[in-house]
PDB file of all heavy atoms in Angstrom:
ATOM      1  N   ALA A  13      -3.078  24.480  -5.238  1.00  0.00           N
ATOM      2  CA  ALA A  13      -2.417  25.322  -6.102  1.00  0.00           C
ATOM      3  C   ALA A  13      -1.107  24.686  -6.683  1.00  0.00           C
ATOM      4  O   ALA A  13      -0.846  24.853  -7.880  1.00  0.00           O
ATOM      5  CB  ALA A  13      -1.948  26.622  -5.296  1.00  0.00           C
ATOM      6  N   ALA A  14      -0.401  23.891  -5.911  1.00  0.00           N
ATOM      7  CA  ALA A  14       0.827  23.217  -6.372  1.00  0.00           C
ATOM      8  C   ALA A  14       0.441  22.240  -7.501  1.00  0.00           C
ATOM      9  O   ALA A  14       1.202  22.070  -8.385  1.00  0.00           O
ATOM     10  CB  ALA A  14       1.460  22.487  -5.224  1.00  0.00           C
ATOM     11  N   ASP A  15      -0.743  21.647  -7.436  1.00  0.00           N
ATOM     12  CA  ASP A  15      -1.135  20.769  -8.490  1.00  0.00           C
ATOM     13  C   ASP A  15      -1.411  21.493  -9.782  1.00  0.00           C
ATOM     14  O   ASP A  15      -1.147  20.934 -10.927  1.00  0.00           O
ATOM     15  CB  ASP A  15      -2.427  20.006  -8.095  1.00  0.00           C
ATOM     16  CG  ASP A  15      -2.140  18.983  -6.956  1.00  0.00           C
ATOM     17  OD1 ASP A  15      -1.001  18.631  -6.735  1.00  0.00           O
ATOM     18  OD2 ASP A  15      -3.186  18.613  -6.338  1.00  0.00           O
ATOM     19  N   ALA A  16      -1.834  22.774  -9.733  1.00  0.00           N
ATOM     20  CA  ALA A  16      -2.226  23.522 -10.934  1.00  0.00           C
ATOM     21  C   ALA A  16      -0.988  24.351 -11.466  1.00  0.00           C
ATOM     22  O   ALA A  16      -0.825  24.420 -12.660  1.00  0.00           O
ATOM     23  CB  ALA A  16      -3.325  24.464 -10.614  1.00  0.00           C
ATOM     24  N   ILE A  17      -0.163  24.844 -10.552  1.00  0.00           N
ATOM     25  CA  ILE A  17       0.958  25.698 -10.985  1.00  0.00           C
ATOM     26  C   ILE A  17       1.909  24.922 -11.860  1.00  0.00           C
ATOM     27  O   ILE A  17       2.394  23.859 -11.493  1.00  0.00           O
ATOM     28  CB  ILE A  17       1.703  26.315  -9.811  1.00  0.00           C
ATOM     29  CG1 ILE A  17       0.749  27.283  -9.059  1.00  0.00           C
ATOM     30  CG2 ILE A  17       2.964  27.024 -10.220  1.00  0.00           C
ATOM     31  CD1 ILE A  17       1.280  27.787  -7.737  1.00  0.00           C
ATOM     32  N   GLY A  18       2.191  25.440 -13.051  1.00  0.00           N
ATOM     33  CA  GLY A  18       3.117  24.837 -13.977  1.00  0.00           C
ATOM     34  C   GLY A  18       2.513  23.691 -14.771  1.00  0.00           C
ATOM     35  O   GLY A  18       3.221  23.064 -15.559  1.00  0.00           O
ATOM     36  N   SER A  19       1.266  23.386 -14.574  1.00  0.00           N
ATOM     37  CA  SER A  19       0.602  22.336 -15.393  1.00  0.00           C
ATOM     38  C   SER A  19       0.314  22.780 -16.789  1.00  0.00           C
ATOM     39  O   SER A  19      -0.041  21.920 -17.623  1.00  0.00           O
ATOM     40  CB  SER A  19      -0.653  21.835 -14.684  1.00  0.00           C
ATOM     41  OG  SER A  19      -1.675  22.899 -14.666  1.00  0.00           O
ATOM     42  N   GLU A  20       0.426  24.074 -17.112  1.00  0.00           N
ATOM     43  CA  GLU A  20       0.208  24.571 -18.400  1.00  0.00           C
ATOM     44  C   GLU A  20       1.473  25.374 -18.810  1.00  0.00           C
ATOM     45  O   GLU A  20       2.196  25.805 -17.990  1.00  0.00           O
ATOM     46  CB  GLU A  20      -0.943  25.588 -18.358  1.00  0.00           C
ATOM     47  CG  GLU A  20      -2.294  24.996 -17.979  1.00  0.00           C
ATOM     48  CD  GLU A  20      -2.944  24.167 -19.068  1.00  0.00           C
ATOM     49  OE1 GLU A  20      -2.593  24.455 -20.266  1.00  0.00           O
ATOM     50  OE2 GLU A  20      -3.674  23.256 -18.726  1.00  0.00           O
ATOM     51  N   LEU A  21       1.651  25.470 -20.141  1.00  0.00           N
ATOM     52  CA  LEU A  21       2.748  26.225 -20.645  1.00  0.00           C
ATOM     53  C   LEU A  21       2.382  27.707 -20.804  1.00  0.00           C
ATOM     54  O   LEU A  21       3.287  28.515 -21.134  1.00  0.00           O
ATOM     55  CB  LEU A  21       3.186  25.691 -21.989  1.00  0.00           C
ATOM     56  CG  LEU A  21       3.816  24.211 -22.010  1.00  0.00           C
ATOM     57  CD1 LEU A  21       4.125  23.811 -23.324  1.00  0.00           C
ATOM     58  CD2 LEU A  21       5.013  24.220 -21.047  1.00  0.00           C
ATOM     59  N   ASP A  22       1.149  28.083 -20.477  1.00  0.00           N
ATOM     60  CA  ASP A  22       0.730  29.454 -20.670  1.00  0.00           C
ATOM     61  C   ASP A  22       1.232  30.240 -19.482  1.00  0.00           C
ATOM     62  O   ASP A  22       0.797  30.006 -18.311  1.00  0.00           O
ATOM     63  CB  ASP A  22      -0.857  29.479 -20.750  1.00  0.00           C
ATOM     64  CG  ASP A  22      -1.429  30.867 -20.966  1.00  0.00           C
ATOM     65  OD1 ASP A  22      -1.019  31.793 -20.289  1.00  0.00           O
ATOM     66  OD2 ASP A  22      -2.339  30.986 -21.836  1.00  0.00           O
ATOM     67  N   LEU A  23       2.115  31.219 -19.723  1.00  0.00           N
ATOM     68  CA  LEU A  23       2.637  32.050 -18.590  1.00  0.00           C
ATOM     69  C   LEU A  23       1.598  32.836 -17.837  1.00  0.00           C
ATOM     70  O   LEU A  23       1.680  32.884 -16.640  1.00  0.00           O
ATOM     71  CB  LEU A  23       3.706  32.984 -19.102  1.00  0.00           C
ATOM     72  CG  LEU A  23       5.001  32.363 -19.686  1.00  0.00           C
ATOM     73  CD1 LEU A  23       5.934  33.392 -20.296  1.00  0.00           C
ATOM     74  CD2 LEU A  23       5.732  31.632 -18.540  1.00  0.00           C
ATOM     75  N   ARG A  24       0.616  33.361 -18.527  1.00  0.00           N
ATOM     76  CA  ARG A  24      -0.399  34.221 -17.827  1.00  0.00           C
ATOM     77  C   ARG A  24      -1.305  33.286 -16.925  1.00  0.00           C
ATOM     78  O   ARG A  24      -1.627  33.632 -15.827  1.00  0.00           O
ATOM     79  CB  ARG A  24      -1.202  34.950 -18.839  1.00  0.00           C
ATOM     80  CG  ARG A  24      -0.429  36.153 -19.382  1.00  0.00           C
ATOM     81  CD  ARG A  24      -1.102  36.810 -20.552  1.00  0.00           C
ATOM     82  NE  ARG A  24      -0.287  37.907 -21.074  1.00  0.00           N
ATOM     83  CZ  ARG A  24       0.799  37.724 -21.793  1.00  0.00           C
ATOM     84  NH1 ARG A  24       1.207  36.550 -22.134  1.00  0.00           N
ATOM     85  NH2 ARG A  24       1.534  38.815 -22.214  1.00  0.00           N
ATOM     86  N   LEU A  25      -1.614  32.161 -17.384  1.00  0.00           N
ATOM     87  CA  LEU A  25      -2.419  31.221 -16.661  1.00  0.00           C
ATOM     88  C   LEU A  25      -1.621  30.741 -15.394  1.00  0.00           C
ATOM     89  O   LEU A  25      -2.113  30.662 -14.311  1.00  0.00           O
ATOM     90  CB  LEU A  25      -2.838  29.969 -17.464  1.00  0.00           C
ATOM     91  CG  LEU A  25      -3.726  28.974 -16.785  1.00  0.00           C
ATOM     92  CD1 LEU A  25      -4.993  29.569 -16.206  1.00  0.00           C
ATOM     93  CD2 LEU A  25      -3.975  27.799 -17.731  1.00  0.00           C
ATOM     94  N   THR A  26      -0.354  30.409 -15.620  1.00  0.00           N
ATOM     95  CA  THR A  26       0.464  30.016 -14.426  1.00  0.00           C
ATOM     96  C   THR A  26       0.610  31.181 -13.409  1.00  0.00           C
ATOM     97  O   THR A  26       0.506  30.999 -12.225  1.00  0.00           O
ATOM     98  CB  THR A  26       1.887  29.674 -14.900  1.00  0.00           C
ATOM     99  OG1 THR A  26       1.773  28.498 -15.797  1.00  0.00           O
ATOM    100  CG2 THR A  26       2.778  29.314 -13.746  1.00  0.00           C
ATOM    101  N   GLY A  27       0.744  32.445 -13.931  1.00  0.00           N
ATOM    102  CA  GLY A  27       0.732  33.601 -13.042  1.00  0.00           C
ATOM    103  C   GLY A  27      -0.566  33.714 -12.274  1.00  0.00           C
ATOM    104  O   GLY A  27      -0.552  34.015 -11.029  1.00  0.00           O
ATOM    105  N   ARG A  28      -1.671  33.474 -12.950  1.00  0.00           N
ATOM    106  CA  ARG A  28      -2.943  33.544 -12.249  1.00  0.00           C
ATOM    107  C   ARG A  28      -3.046  32.499 -11.152  1.00  0.00           C
ATOM    108  O   ARG A  28      -3.578  32.719 -10.112  1.00  0.00           O
ATOM    109  CB  ARG A  28      -4.098  33.448 -13.229  1.00  0.00           C
ATOM    110  CG  ARG A  28      -4.337  34.723 -14.009  1.00  0.00           C
ATOM    111  CD  ARG A  28      -5.699  34.756 -14.768  1.00  0.00           C
ATOM    112  NE  ARG A  28      -5.922  33.601 -15.619  1.00  0.00           N
ATOM    113  CZ  ARG A  28      -5.578  33.569 -16.922  1.00  0.00           C
ATOM    114  NH1 ARG A  28      -5.018  34.636 -17.459  1.00  0.00           N
ATOM    115  NH2 ARG A  28      -5.860  32.571 -17.634  1.00  0.00           N
ATOM    116  N   HIS A  29      -2.548  31.287 -11.421  1.00  0.00           N
ATOM    117  CA  HIS A  29      -2.490  30.201 -10.468  1.00  0.00           C
ATOM    118  C   HIS A  29      -1.760  30.641  -9.259  1.00  0.00           C
ATOM    119  O   HIS A  29      -2.113  30.383  -8.081  1.00  0.00           O
ATOM    120  CB  HIS A  29      -1.983  28.933 -11.022  1.00  0.00           C
ATOM    121  CG  HIS A  29      -2.870  28.257 -12.017  1.00  0.00           C
ATOM    122  ND1 HIS A  29      -2.420  27.364 -12.958  1.00  0.00           N
ATOM    123  CD2 HIS A  29      -4.203  28.237 -12.138  1.00  0.00           C
ATOM    124  CE1 HIS A  29      -3.447  26.918 -13.684  1.00  0.00           C
ATOM    125  NE2 HIS A  29      -4.540  27.437 -13.206  1.00  0.00           N
ATOM    126  N   VAL A  30      -0.561  31.256  -9.441  1.00  0.00           N
ATOM    127  CA  VAL A  30       0.320  31.679  -8.367  1.00  0.00           C
ATOM    128  C   VAL A  30      -0.411  32.719  -7.477  1.00  0.00           C
ATOM    129  O   VAL A  30      -0.436  32.499  -6.304  1.00  0.00           O
ATOM    130  CB  VAL A  30       1.652  32.200  -8.895  1.00  0.00           C
ATOM    131  CG1 VAL A  30       2.447  32.881  -7.798  1.00  0.00           C
ATOM    132  CG2 VAL A  30       2.462  31.123  -9.502  1.00  0.00           C
ATOM    133  N   VAL A  31      -0.939  33.766  -8.117  1.00  0.00           N
ATOM    134  CA  VAL A  31      -1.551  34.827  -7.226  1.00  0.00           C
ATOM    135  C   VAL A  31      -2.865  34.259  -6.535  1.00  0.00           C
ATOM    136  O   VAL A  31      -3.092  34.748  -5.424  1.00  0.00           O
ATOM    137  CB  VAL A  31      -1.880  36.170  -8.032  1.00  0.00           C
ATOM    138  CG1 VAL A  31      -0.591  36.762  -8.585  1.00  0.00           C
ATOM    139  CG2 VAL A  31      -2.830  35.888  -9.139  1.00  0.00           C
ATOM    140  N   HIS A  32      -3.542  33.392  -7.220  1.00  0.00           N
ATOM    141  CA  HIS A  32      -4.702  32.789  -6.606  1.00  0.00           C
ATOM    142  C   HIS A  32      -4.287  31.954  -5.364  1.00  0.00           C
ATOM    143  O   HIS A  32      -5.030  31.929  -4.386  1.00  0.00           O
ATOM    144  CB  HIS A  32      -5.480  31.993  -7.567  1.00  0.00           C
ATOM    145  CG  HIS A  32      -6.818  31.519  -7.072  1.00  0.00           C
ATOM    146  ND1 HIS A  32      -7.912  32.323  -6.990  1.00  0.00           N
ATOM    147  CD2 HIS A  32      -7.169  30.318  -6.624  1.00  0.00           C
ATOM    148  CE1 HIS A  32      -8.911  31.622  -6.514  1.00  0.00           C
ATOM    149  NE2 HIS A  32      -8.553  30.419  -6.239  1.00  0.00           N
ATOM    150  N   ALA A  33      -3.171  31.312  -5.491  1.00  0.00           N
ATOM    151  CA  ALA A  33      -2.715  30.446  -4.337  1.00  0.00           C
ATOM    152  C   ALA A  33      -2.284  31.335  -3.175  1.00  0.00           C
ATOM    153  O   ALA A  33      -2.398  30.959  -2.020  1.00  0.00           O
ATOM    154  CB  ALA A  33      -1.514  29.595  -4.742  1.00  0.00           C
ATOM    155  N   LEU A  34      -1.736  32.536  -3.468  1.00  0.00           N
ATOM    156  CA  LEU A  34      -1.172  33.371  -2.410  1.00  0.00           C
ATOM    157  C   LEU A  34      -2.142  34.283  -1.762  1.00  0.00           C
ATOM    158  O   LEU A  34      -2.110  34.482  -0.543  1.00  0.00           O
ATOM    159  CB  LEU A  34      -0.034  34.210  -2.992  1.00  0.00           C
ATOM    160  CG  LEU A  34       1.204  33.439  -3.461  1.00  0.00           C
ATOM    161  CD1 LEU A  34       2.197  34.356  -4.114  1.00  0.00           C
ATOM    162  CD2 LEU A  34       1.841  32.702  -2.264  1.00  0.00           C
ATOM    163  N   ALA A  35      -3.031  34.905  -2.499  1.00  0.00           N
ATOM    164  CA  ALA A  35      -3.987  35.854  -1.900  1.00  0.00           C
ATOM    165  C   ALA A  35      -5.386  35.315  -1.986  1.00  0.00           C
ATOM    166  O   ALA A  35      -5.753  34.771  -2.952  1.00  0.00           O
ATOM    167  CB  ALA A  35      -3.905  37.208  -2.709  1.00  0.00           C
ATOM    168  N   PRO A  36      -6.122  35.459  -0.881  1.00  0.00           N
ATOM    169  CA  PRO A  36      -5.828  36.202   0.307  1.00  0.00           C
ATOM    170  C   PRO A  36      -5.386  35.256   1.414  1.00  0.00           C
ATOM    171  O   PRO A  36      -5.099  35.728   2.549  1.00  0.00           O
ATOM    172  CB  PRO A  36      -7.187  36.789   0.750  1.00  0.00           C
ATOM    173  CG  PRO A  36      -8.158  35.750   0.202  1.00  0.00           C
ATOM    174  CD  PRO A  36      -7.544  35.173  -1.065  1.00  0.00           C
ATOM    175  N   GLY A  37      -5.254  33.998   1.192  1.00  0.00           N
ATOM    176  CA  GLY A  37      -4.810  33.036   2.335  1.00  0.00           C
ATOM    177  C   GLY A  37      -3.488  33.234   2.885  1.00  0.00           C
ATOM    178  O   GLY A  37      -3.271  33.128   4.093  1.00  0.00           O
ATOM    179  N   PHE A  38      -2.483  33.635   2.050  1.00  0.00           N
ATOM    180  CA  PHE A  38      -1.116  33.840   2.592  1.00  0.00           C
ATOM    181  C   PHE A  38      -0.736  35.286   2.699  1.00  0.00           C
ATOM    182  O   PHE A  38       0.041  35.668   3.554  1.00  0.00           O
ATOM    183  CB  PHE A  38      -0.138  33.121   1.595  1.00  0.00           C
ATOM    184  CG  PHE A  38       1.288  33.213   2.005  1.00  0.00           C
ATOM    185  CD1 PHE A  38       1.700  32.467   3.077  1.00  0.00           C
ATOM    186  CD2 PHE A  38       2.153  34.031   1.294  1.00  0.00           C
ATOM    187  CE1 PHE A  38       3.086  32.524   3.490  1.00  0.00           C
ATOM    188  CE2 PHE A  38       3.466  34.068   1.717  1.00  0.00           C
ATOM    189  CZ  PHE A  38       3.938  33.326   2.797  1.00  0.00           C
ATOM    190  N   CYS A  39      -1.238  36.146   1.828  1.00  0.00           N
ATOM    191  CA  CYS A  39      -0.942  37.599   1.851  1.00  0.00           C
ATOM    192  C   CYS A  39      -2.146  38.390   1.344  1.00  0.00           C
ATOM    193  O   CYS A  39      -3.107  37.746   0.844  1.00  0.00           O
ATOM    194  CB  CYS A  39       0.264  37.884   1.026  1.00  0.00           C
ATOM    195  SG  CYS A  39       0.088  37.379  -0.724  1.00  0.00           S
ATOM    196  N   ASP A  40      -2.058  39.679   1.592  1.00  0.00           N
ATOM    197  CA  ASP A  40      -3.231  40.522   1.177  1.00  0.00           C
ATOM    198  C   ASP A  40      -3.313  40.750  -0.382  1.00  0.00           C
ATOM    199  O   ASP A  40      -4.380  40.891  -0.826  1.00  0.00           O
ATOM    200  CB  ASP A  40      -3.127  41.873   1.859  1.00  0.00           C
ATOM    201  CG  ASP A  40      -3.336  41.716   3.399  1.00  0.00           C
ATOM    202  OD1 ASP A  40      -4.057  40.824   3.824  1.00  0.00           O
ATOM    203  OD2 ASP A  40      -2.716  42.506   4.164  1.00  0.00           O
ATOM    204  N   ALA A  41      -2.122  40.800  -0.997  1.00  0.00           N
ATOM    205  CA  ALA A  41      -2.138  41.039  -2.463  1.00  0.00           C
ATOM    206  C   ALA A  41      -0.889  40.323  -3.006  1.00  0.00           C
ATOM    207  O   ALA A  41       0.118  40.205  -2.314  1.00  0.00           O
ATOM    208  CB  ALA A  41      -2.046  42.579  -2.727  1.00  0.00           C
ATOM    209  N   ALA A  42      -1.008  39.963  -4.251  1.00  0.00           N
ATOM    210  CA  ALA A  42       0.072  39.260  -4.889  1.00  0.00           C
ATOM    211  C   ALA A  42       0.097  39.641  -6.422  1.00  0.00           C
ATOM    212  O   ALA A  42      -1.001  39.785  -6.972  1.00  0.00           O
ATOM    213  CB  ALA A  42      -0.027  37.783  -4.782  1.00  0.00           C
ATOM    214  N   SER A  43       1.236  39.825  -6.969  1.00  0.00           N
ATOM    215  CA  SER A  43       1.253  40.030  -8.388  1.00  0.00           C
ATOM    216  C   SER A  43       2.564  39.291  -8.946  1.00  0.00           C
ATOM    217  O   SER A  43       3.496  38.993  -8.208  1.00  0.00           O
ATOM    218  CB  SER A  43       1.437  41.517  -8.780  1.00  0.00           C
ATOM    219  OG  SER A  43       2.508  42.137  -8.121  1.00  0.00           O
ATOM    220  N   VAL A  44       2.466  38.952 -10.211  1.00  0.00           N
ATOM    221  CA  VAL A  44       3.578  38.208 -10.823  1.00  0.00           C
ATOM    222  C   VAL A  44       4.002  39.072 -12.092  1.00  0.00           C
ATOM    223  O   VAL A  44       3.138  39.465 -12.907  1.00  0.00           O
ATOM    224  CB  VAL A  44       3.106  36.769 -11.361  1.00  0.00           C
ATOM    225  CG1 VAL A  44       4.227  36.133 -12.177  1.00  0.00           C
ATOM    226  CG2 VAL A  44       2.745  35.947 -10.142  1.00  0.00           C
ATOM    227  N   TYR A  45       5.308  39.343 -12.124  1.00  0.00           N
ATOM    228  CA  TYR A  45       5.876  40.085 -13.235  1.00  0.00           C
ATOM    229  C   TYR A  45       6.823  39.117 -13.934  1.00  0.00           C
ATOM    230  O   TYR A  45       7.475  38.392 -13.363  1.00  0.00           O
ATOM    231  CB  TYR A  45       6.607  41.325 -12.744  1.00  0.00           C
ATOM    232  CG  TYR A  45       5.757  42.334 -12.098  1.00  0.00           C
ATOM    233  CD1 TYR A  45       5.542  42.274 -10.693  1.00  0.00           C
ATOM    234  CD2 TYR A  45       5.134  43.346 -12.762  1.00  0.00           C
ATOM    235  CE1 TYR A  45       4.692  43.201 -10.060  1.00  0.00           C
ATOM    236  CE2 TYR A  45       4.365  44.317 -12.170  1.00  0.00           C
ATOM    237  CZ  TYR A  45       4.167  44.249 -10.806  1.00  0.00           C
ATOM    238  OH  TYR A  45       3.345  45.155 -10.211  1.00  0.00           O
ATOM    239  N   LEU A  46       7.004  39.407 -15.228  1.00  0.00           N
ATOM    240  CA  LEU A  46       8.021  38.656 -16.034  1.00  0.00           C
ATOM    241  C   LEU A  46       8.835  39.743 -16.671  1.00  0.00           C
ATOM    242  O   LEU A  46       8.300  40.721 -17.225  1.00  0.00           O
ATOM    243  CB  LEU A  46       7.366  37.713 -17.099  1.00  0.00           C
ATOM    244  CG  LEU A  46       8.298  36.992 -17.924  1.00  0.00           C
ATOM    245  CD1 LEU A  46       9.081  35.939 -17.062  1.00  0.00           C
ATOM    246  CD2 LEU A  46       7.518  36.292 -19.025  1.00  0.00           C
ATOM    247  N   LEU A  47      10.170  39.594 -16.632  1.00  0.00           N
ATOM    248  CA  LEU A  47      11.032  40.555 -17.234  1.00  0.00           C
ATOM    249  C   LEU A  47      10.703  40.598 -18.735  1.00  0.00           C
ATOM    250  O   LEU A  47      10.525  39.603 -19.413  1.00  0.00           O
ATOM    251  CB  LEU A  47      12.497  40.166 -17.108  1.00  0.00           C
ATOM    252  CG  LEU A  47      13.052  40.272 -15.695  1.00  0.00           C
ATOM    253  CD1 LEU A  47      14.471  39.817 -15.641  1.00  0.00           C
ATOM    254  CD2 LEU A  47      12.902  41.668 -15.132  1.00  0.00           C
ATOM    255  N   GLN A  48      10.488  41.814 -19.266  1.00  0.00           N
ATOM    256  CA  GLN A  48      10.065  41.998 -20.597  1.00  0.00           C
ATOM    257  C   GLN A  48      11.093  41.359 -21.583  1.00  0.00           C
ATOM    258  O   GLN A  48      10.695  40.827 -22.630  1.00  0.00           O
ATOM    259  CB  GLN A  48       9.992  43.546 -20.926  1.00  0.00           C
ATOM    260  CG  GLN A  48       9.396  43.881 -22.234  1.00  0.00           C
ATOM    261  CD  GLN A  48       7.963  43.504 -22.434  1.00  0.00           C
ATOM    262  OE1 GLN A  48       7.292  42.975 -21.604  1.00  0.00           O
ATOM    263  NE2 GLN A  48       7.398  43.869 -23.536  1.00  0.00           N
TER     264      GLN A  48
END
Side-chain angles (χ1 to χ4, degrees):
D15 292 342
I17 294 171
S19 65
E20 298 284 334
L21 294 177
D22 184 312
L23 291 174
R24 285 168 181 81
L25 181 59
T26 299
R28 285 194 305 268
H29 288 156
V30 169
V31 297
H32 188 77
L34 294 174
F38 181 72
C39 58
D40 293 329
S43 58
V44 172
Y45 296 90
L46 182 65
L47 292 178
Q48 187 68 358

